[in-house]
Amino acid sequence: MFKETQPTKEECNGQSHNNSIEDGGTQLPGHTETDRLQQNKDTVFFRDGVRRIDFILSYLDDKDGEKKQERRREFEANLKKAGLELETEDKSDSDDLKTYFLKIHAPWEVLATYADVLKIKVPFKESDIPHGQDVPLEWLSRPFRLPEKVMRPQPDYFTSPFDKDKIDFFLIKNQDTFFPPSTRNRIVYYILSRCPYHKEDRKETDKKGIKRLLNNGTYTSAFPLHDQCESERYHLYKNWARFLCFYKEQPLNLIRKYYGEKIGIYFAWLGFYTEMLFFAAVMGVICFTYGVLSYDDNLTSKEICDPSIGGSTVMCPLCDKKCSYWKLNSTCLSSWQSHLFDNEGTVFFAMFMGIWVTLFLEFWKRRQAQLEYEWDLVDFEEEQQQLQIRPEFETKCTDQRLNRITQEMEPYLPLPKKCGRFCLSGVTVLFWMLLIVACITGVIVYRLAVYAAFASIMKDSPTKKIHLVGSLITPQLATSVTASFINFIIIMILNFFYERVAIWITDMEIPKTHLEYENKLTMKMFLFQFVNYYSSCFYVAFFKGKFVGYPGNYTYMFGKYSRLRNEECDPGGCLIELTTQLVIVMTGKQVCGNIQEALLPLLRNWWCSRKARKDQYSRWEQDHDLQNFSQLGLFYEYLEMVIQFGFITLFVASFPLAPLLALCNNILEVRVDAWKFTTQFRRPVAAKAHNIGAWQEILNVVAILSVVTNAFIMAFTSDMIPRLVYLYAYHPGSEATMSGYINNSLSVYDISQIPLLSIPICCLRYRDYRYPPGHQRQYSHTMQFWHILAAKLAFIIIMEHVVFVVKFFVAWLIPDVPSEVKARIKRERYLIQEYLHNYEVEKLKIQLSQSFIIEPKPGVCTATDMHDNFARTVWE
């Protein structure tokens, strides 16, 4: 049973009376309207048509569920004691005839009490601070903008933490609509997560909270309802979730109002990241275009493909037994491919990306500070830190100690227990990281073994051209592609286990607050994913071809008797193999992610809609059949994007088109995520967050590491430095050209030193800088090798220092908080303090004046009268 709850105008027929209540109207439905509501179950109200449904709990009628029934009775009784109002929908009214639905409503007294406890900020005066000056050339951005009512769904207000004793201070026009639905469901969930389900005479502190009841099957689901159509959800679907709106800006204020600040911050960050990717993608395309345009000027590839040079150069076998001798011109195609990514423009692009990362992070800090101000999150962390204590921490930690700040007893985890849990956690993390290394080692062994199998095809004599695997693929390329696919499959399999291991470890540590829980899980999960996704790229970039040895003295992976000789790079370098590895892993991850996020829900909708009944399909049943958005749902969205961020920064020097692929993926990702939130997911419980949390520090670390990795890729993986050293120091002629570079980069080995072989060739070539046979230092490194090594190290130092100096200068030059935002924050704080002061003075005057009246009039002045008096005192 499933019906996709896509908001349309047709579904809104007959619901205008409910919308009038939501919009603050005073008309209440009469007896006729109540009967109409009972017939039409697509509503967000109780049967009386007045009380709004703030939360839904569902459960099944189990035959052997006496314990579950007892838990439900106690839990619901305690909810009523907490002030919540309940209403049950019988299973006979449900679509499957099995599920009960418990509707929960929080009356004004409950909302006011817990708004005071949670220090929820509410409006007390409409803001008179202007939004800002007009942007020059604003008409250029009009095609990308949304209507003003969508971008700013409500006016700006001065806000203050709610105080139940100062109700007349706040702008309360209608108690039913004063707290928006996102705030109401947040308050109700706070109560549900702490409400016990044991009898009063029993002291079972662990029997507490809706999460535990969901885990033991007492309830099957708990969720707030989506709004009705022609509401905020409808506007989100119309202006945000449709793919045809991909070029439009996101309605961040409406997202924040409907889903809460935490989800709003995520989409703000994702949108900003996608915008910044545009500039990196443009530069990457320019770099790639330069490689294409300089295609015909590549003398190195021309020499490799020349029959008189590459065709007459016979290379040493690449493995011991099955590999034969091969001609250099057999790598002609791969050398041309390598030039597309390994050229002079790549150096500039690597340095540009180091600066781009800094600009992205610094400008995001400014954008984040602006959102903190606009969304009333400036003082959020200080106010909310202690209110985010996890119910699991309160349940599992039986020890108590005095809080020095609040002077109240609170649960805590003793140091010995904490150390024991951390040690077990560390050992588990180390074990799984070693497992990743073992898997990568297995892939390397596969590369070494399968290359010999591919190379066994090469049976021609050394004087003929090498055979190819297929029409265009060399054994090196075939080995690299198949190993990359196998590595990607292993990555996806290990991901399945890492998610569960990371959650289990974090639960075992029993973090105190929700923020601490998310940060610890973030660090562990990213550490696992970092090693899992990037280890194969690190191997190809920094280890392959670096420890090979030379003919007669090769280096073997597990010793000489293993006969697994370390891999060599092509004469054009290992960069093209790193590009292949990066493209397969990065593209494969994005394709699998999009299939999982978009195609699978579509198939689920199609299959389930065949069994769905079209009549009497209630709002709570529609939302019940949607996918549950777990507490860690947003965590996986961040993780996907941060892993992608690592691909386009850590190894971008090997593939300048990576930002373009990421940009195309993210344009789709924004709309797919929006579509999922509006049509596929149940409404998440609203949560607050003033930044992206631990992901900010992870991005900073990746940004710094990317400068180092790209410098080493250009120095040791690319063939750029050896070519430059030859061009300016070792070219034999007076004019600096690359002519003769291939012959200069290949050393000579005397085949006559192997007496068992009798072939018509006196010597073979191999890629290295060593003295030829007969020299007094034969087969030892030449001086050119040491010059190239010195040039590589100098390049790394220069590039790192240049990029880091520019990074730190840009970070110093761009303040984290815009000066305009700082001024607005100070101005708003000043006005709030002044308004509060005058409120207290005016209230005191009224109390004093009433004390002199002999016959006081019944009642107290209304909130509107109070505000008029305060406004005349303060603002005139």
Side-chain angles (χ1 to χ4, degrees), residues 203-385:
K203 295 183 179 180
E204 299 171 293
T205 57
D206 60 329
K207 292 187 175 182
K208 180 191 299 184
I210 185 62
K211 185 175 181 180
R212 193 175 180 89
L213 291 173
L214 291 171
N215 292 336
N216 60 32
T218 303
Y219 291 98
T220 56
S221 63
F223 55 92
L225 288 180
H226 277 293
D227 280 354
Q228 291 171 297
C229 302
E230 286 292 357
S231 62
E232 295 166 355
R233 186 188 180 207
Y234 172 75
H235 289 299
L236 286 172
Y237 175 80
K238 179 181 177 181
N239 299 285
W240 179 49
R242 295 189 302 169
F243 183 75
L244 294 178
C245 300
F246 72 92
Y247 63 95
K248 296 279 190 179
E249 60 183 336
Q250 297 187 88
L252 295 178
N253 289 319
L254 189 58
I255 297 171
R256 171 246 181 174
K257 186 172 182 287
Y258 190 77
Y259 291 109
E261 288 79 3
K262 192 172 185 179
I263 293 177
I265 284 286
Y266 164 72
F267 279 105
W269 176 83
L270 179 59
F272 184 82
Y273 171 47
T274 304
E275 292 172 6
M276 291 295 292
L277 274 177
F278 173 79
F279 303 101
V282 169
M283 292 305 301
V285 171
I286 292 175
C287 178
F288 180 76
T289 304
Y290 173 80
V292 174
L293 296 178
S294 61
Y295 198 75
D296 295 332
D297 299 330
N298 182 17
L299 292 178
T300 302
S301 297
K302 287 183 177 180
E303 289 187 354
I304 292 176
C305 300
D306 191 344
S308 62
I309 301 177
S312 62
T313 303
V314 181
M315 306 293 292
C316 290
L318 295 176
C319 60
D320 285 350
K321 284 192 173 183
K322 297 183 179 180
C323 299
S324 180
Y325 308 101
W326 53 285
K327 289 186 177 181
L328 181 61
N329 63 350
S330 64
T331 61
C332 175
L333 180 61
S334 64
S335 67
W336 285 111
Q337 294 171 343
S338 179
H339 174 73
L340 296 175
F341 307 105
D342 189 6
N343 52 68
E344 293 79 1
T346 308
V347 179
F348 166 78
F349 183 66
M351 300 182 70
F352 167 81
M353 286 301 295
I355 300 172
W356 174 87
V357 169
T358 303
L359 292 174
F360 163 63
L361 295 176
E362 292 301 319
F363 281 123
W364 165 246
K365 290 178 183 177
R366 292 171 62 85
R367 176 63 175 144
Q368 188 171 256
Q370 185 178 359
L371 290 175
E372 285 184 21
Y373 165 72
E374 294 178 356
W375 293 355
D376 282 327
L377 299 171
V378 175
D379 300 322
F380 165 74
E381 188 171 9
E382 292 78 6
E383 296 174 354
Q384 298 295 323
Q385 187 67 29

Side-chain angles (χ1 to χ4, degrees), residues 394-669:
E394 297 175 339
T395 300
K396 295 180 181 179
C397 297
T398 57
D399 298 287
Q400 299 279 328
R401 70 177 177 184
L402 183 67
N403 188 312
R404 297 180 180 179
I405 300 175
T406 63
Q407 293 297 311
E408 295 179 357
M409 299 300 294
E410 65 175 9
Y412 84 105
L413 188 65
L415 184 60
K417 293 182 180 180
K418 183 180 295 187
C419 292
R421 292 175 183 273
F422 284 172
C423 290
L424 181 58
S425 172
V427 171
T428 306
V429 171
L430 181 61
F431 168 78
W432 282 93
M433 291 182 63
L434 292 177
L435 180 61
I436 300 174
V437 175
C439 292
I440 297 300
T441 304
V443 174
I444 296 173
V445 172
Y446 164 82
R447 297 171 69 103
L448 301 178
V450 80
Y451 180 81
F454 283 126
S456 64
I457 300 174
M458 302 182 296
K459 297 296 184 182
D460 284 8
S461 65
T463 59
K464 297 181 181 180
K465 189 176 181 181
I466 192 173
H467 273 188
L468 302 180
V469 181
S471 58
L472 297 173
I473 304 177
T474 63
Q476 293 96 327
L477 184 58
T479 302
S480 178
V481 170
T482 55
S484 298
F485 274 110
I486 292 174
N487 182 70
F488 175 71
I489 294 173
I490 293 175
I491 287 173
M492 301 308 293
I493 293 174
L494 290 178
N495 276 346
F496 176 80
F497 295 101
Y498 291 154
E499 293 177 5
R500 287 151 181 79
V501 171
I503 293 174
W504 176 77
I505 295 173
T506 309
D507 288 339
M508 181 188 62
E509 294 178 359
I510 319 180
K512 182 177 180 180
T513 65
H514 292 291
L515 180 63
E516 185 181 353
Y517 181 90
E518 291 183 3
N519 289 345
K520 288 186 175 183
L521 181 61
T522 298
M523 291 300 179
K524 292 181 182 65
M525 196 65 184
F526 179 76
L527 186 61
F528 284 145
Q529 299 282 28
F530 183 91
V531 179
N532 195 21
Y533 277 105
Y534 304 142
S535 55
S536 59
C537 293
F538 272 100
Y539 164 74
V540 175
F542 305 124
F543 294 96
K544 182 180 178 182
K546 307 301 186 294
F547 310 99
V548 178
Y550 60 90
N553 189 26
Y554 283 115
T555 304
Y556 294 83
M557 186 172 183
F558 299 111
K560 189 173 183 179
Y561 295 100
S562 67
R563 299 178 182 177
L564 293 174
R565 209 171 86 192
N566 287 349
E567 288 185 280
E568 298 183 37
C569 293
D570 285 339
C574 275
L575 193 70
I576 189 63
E577 289 197 43
L578 178 59
T579 303
T580 304
Q581 180 78 24
L582 181 63
V583 169
I584 290 176
V585 177
M586 178 181 174
T587 307
K589 183 182 184 304
Q590 293 185 164
V591 170
C592 290
N594 289 331
I595 290 175
Q596 183 179 0
E597 291 185 5
L599 294 183
L600 292 183
L602 286 175
L603 292 175
R604 178 176 179 268
N605 293 353
W606 173 79
W607 175 256
C608 296
S609 61
R610 298 172 60 186
K611 302 181 289 182
R613 276 172 36 183
K614 301 299 181 182
D615 58 328
Q616 298 296 316
Y617 200 65
S618 64
R619 169 59 53 185
W620 43 89
E621 287 181 280
Q622 295 177 38
D623 287 9
H624 177 265
D625 291 338
L626 297 177
Q627 300 179 57
N628 179 46
F629 186 77
S630 66
Q631 186 180 0
L632 299 177
L634 213 56
F635 166 82
Y636 295 112
E637 301 293 342
Y638 273 118
L639 180 63
E640 179 184 1
M641 289 295 102
V642 172
I643 293 296
Q644 180 202 86
F645 180 80
F647 279 124
I648 69 166
T649 54
L650 294 175
F651 309 101
V652 72
S654 66
F655 187 48
L657 295 180
L660 179 62
L661 294 181
L663 175 64
C664 296
N665 176 81
N666 287 8
I667 291 175
L668 179 64
E669 180 76 20

Side-chain angles (χ1 to χ4, degrees), residues 61-333:
D61 186 13
D62 298 332
K63 295 181 180 179
D64 301 327
E66 294 183 2
K67 290 185 177 180
K68 295 180 181 179
Q69 292 177 8
E70 180 64 24
R71 294 192 199 111
R72 283 194 292 266
R73 279 196 297 267
E74 295 298 331
F75 186 68
E76 292 170 14
N78 289 327
L79 289 180
K80 292 179 180 179
K81 291 178 182 178
L84 298 179
E85 298 177 2
L86 312 178
E87 185 177 85
T88 304
E89 289 289 331
D90 192 75
K91 66 178 181 179
S92 61
D93 295 327
S94 65
D95 193 51
D96 60 358
L97 304 178
K98 298 179 181 179
T99 307
Y100 290 88
F101 292 95
L102 179 66
K103 298 178 285 187
I104 302 176
H105 168 75
W108 168 256
E109 284 298 322
V110 174
L111 294 173
T113 300
Y114 282 92
D116 193 352
V117 171
L118 296 174
K119 303 299 180 184
I120 293 176
K121 288 188 174 182
V122 294
F124 65 87
K125 184 184 186 301
E126 190 168 343
S127 175
D128 59 353
I129 300 179
H131 294 302
Q133 300 178 353
D134 295 335
V135 180
L137 302 177
E138 185 180 1
W139 59 272
L140 291 175
S141 63
R142 287 178 184 173
F144 309 101
R145 304 191 66 182
L146 292 173
E148 186 68 17
K149 67 176 182 178
V150 177
M151 292 303 298
R152 297 188 179 276
Q154 61 185 9
D156 290 336
Y157 293 100
F158 291 133
T159 61
S160 178
F162 186 80
D163 189 342
K164 194 177 179 181
D165 297 330
K166 298 178 181 179
I167 289 182
D168 54 351
F169 174 69
F170 302 101
L171 288 176
I172 305 177
K173 298 179 181 178
N174 188 333
Q175 291 184 351
D176 293 334
T177 58
F178 179 68
F179 293 108
S182 58
T183 302
R184 296 175 69 102
N185 69 58
R186 179 185 165 205
I187 291 174
V188 173
Y189 185 76
Y190 182 87
I191 299 172
L192 292 174
S193 62
R194 286 160 174 78
C195 183
Y197 55 90
H198 58 79
K199 295 183 178 180
E200 293 182 356
D201 56 345
R202 299 180 182 177
K203 295 183 179 180
E204 299 171 293
T205 57
D206 60 329
K207 292 187 175 182
K208 180 191 299 184
I210 185 62
K211 185 175 181 180
R212 193 175 180 89
L213 291 173
L214 291 171
N215 292 336
N216 60 32
T218 303
Y219 291 98
T220 56
S221 63
F223 55 92
L225 288 180
H226 277 293
D227 280 354
Q228 291 171 297
C229 302
E230 286 292 357
S231 62
E232 295 166 355
R233 186 188 180 207
Y234 172 75
H235 289 299
L236 286 172
Y237 175 80
K238 179 181 177 181
N239 299 285
W240 179 49
R242 295 189 302 169
F243 183 75
L244 294 178
C245 300
F246 72 92
Y247 63 95
K248 296 279 190 179
E249 60 183 336
Q250 297 187 88
L252 295 178
N253 289 319
L254 189 58
I255 297 171
R256 171 246 181 174
K257 186 172 182 287
Y258 190 77
Y259 291 109
E261 288 79 3
K262 192 172 185 179
I263 293 177
I265 284 286
Y266 164 72
F267 279 105
W269 176 83
L270 179 59
F272 184 82
Y273 171 47
T274 304
E275 292 172 6
M276 291 295 292
L277 274 177
F278 173 79
F279 303 101
V282 169
M283 292 305 301
V285 171
I286 292 175
C287 178
F288 180 76
T289 304
Y290 173 80
V292 174
L293 296 178
S294 61
Y295 198 75
D296 295 332
D297 299 330
N298 182 17
L299 292 178
T300 302
S301 297
K302 287 183 177 180
E303 289 187 354
I304 292 176
C305 300
D306 191 344
S308 62
I309 301 177
S312 62
T313 303
V314 181
M315 306 293 292
C316 290
L318 295 176
C319 60
D320 285 350
K321 284 192 173 183
K322 297 183 179 180
C323 299
S324 180
Y325 308 101
W326 53 285
K327 289 186 177 181
L328 181 61
N329 63 350
S330 64
T331 61
C332 175
L333 180 61

Side-chain angles (χ1 to χ4, degrees), residues 568-800:
E568 298 183 37
C569 293
D570 285 339
C574 275
L575 193 70
I576 189 63
E577 289 197 43
L578 178 59
T579 303
T580 304
Q581 180 78 24
L582 181 63
V583 169
I584 290 176
V585 177
M586 178 181 174
T587 307
K589 183 182 184 304
Q590 293 185 164
V591 170
C592 290
N594 289 331
I595 290 175
Q596 183 179 0
E597 291 185 5
L599 294 183
L600 292 183
L602 286 175
L603 292 175
R604 178 176 179 268
N605 293 353
W606 173 79
W607 175 256
C608 296
S609 61
R610 298 172 60 186
K611 302 181 289 182
R613 276 172 36 183
K614 301 299 181 182
D615 58 328
Q616 298 296 316
Y617 200 65
S618 64
R619 169 59 53 185
W620 43 89
E621 287 181 280
Q622 295 177 38
D623 287 9
H624 177 265
D625 291 338
L626 297 177
Q627 300 179 57
N628 179 46
F629 186 77
S630 66
Q631 186 180 0
L632 299 177
L634 213 56
F635 166 82
Y636 295 112
E637 301 293 342
Y638 273 118
L639 180 63
E640 179 184 1
M641 289 295 102
V642 172
I643 293 296
Q644 180 202 86
F645 180 80
F647 279 124
I648 69 166
T649 54
L650 294 175
F651 309 101
V652 72
S654 66
F655 187 48
L657 295 180
L660 179 62
L661 294 181
L663 175 64
C664 296
N665 176 81
N666 287 8
I667 291 175
L668 179 64
E669 180 76 20
V670 171
R671 303 305 159 178
V672 169
D673 286 350
W675 171 74
K676 288 191 306 180
F677 272 94
T678 53
T679 66
Q680 302 300 304
F681 284 143
R682 297 170 186 165
R683 185 173 186 171
V685 178
K688 284 184 172 289
H690 71 294
N691 55 33
I692 61 175
W695 300 109
Q696 183 74 42
E697 296 303 321
I698 290 176
L699 292 175
N700 290 332
V701 173
V702 172
I704 295 174
L705 184 60
S706 67
V707 178
V708 180
T709 56
N710 284 297
F712 273 84
I713 287 173
M714 295 307 303
F716 289 97
T717 309
S718 168
D719 207 34
M720 179 63 60
I721 302 301
R723 290 201 296 263
L724 292 177
V725 171
Y726 173 80
L727 181 65
Y728 294 108
Y730 284 89
H731 186 268
S734 58
E735 184 180 355
T737 65
M738 292 301 297
S739 177
Y741 169 73
I742 290 298
N743 182 64
N744 176 266
S745 64
L746 298 177
S747 298
V748 178
Y749 179 72
D750 187 1
I751 197 66
S752 63
Q753 296 183 14
I754 305 179
L756 298 179
L757 295 179
S758 58
I759 56 176
I761 299 177
C762 62
C763 59
L764 299 174
R765 308 300 294 272
Y766 61 97
R767 178 181 169 83
D768 208 343
Y769 294 93
R770 295 180 182 272
Y771 288 109
H775 193 278
Q776 61 179 359
R777 300 180 59 190
Q778 66 175 4
Y779 302 131
S780 60
H781 286 121
T782 64
M783 188 57 65
Q784 185 176 355
F785 170 84
W786 299 110
H787 287 167
I788 291 174
L789 180 61
K792 290 179 177 180
L793 297 177
F795 173 82
I796 291 173
I797 295 174
I798 293 173
M799 178 177 172
E800 286 183 355

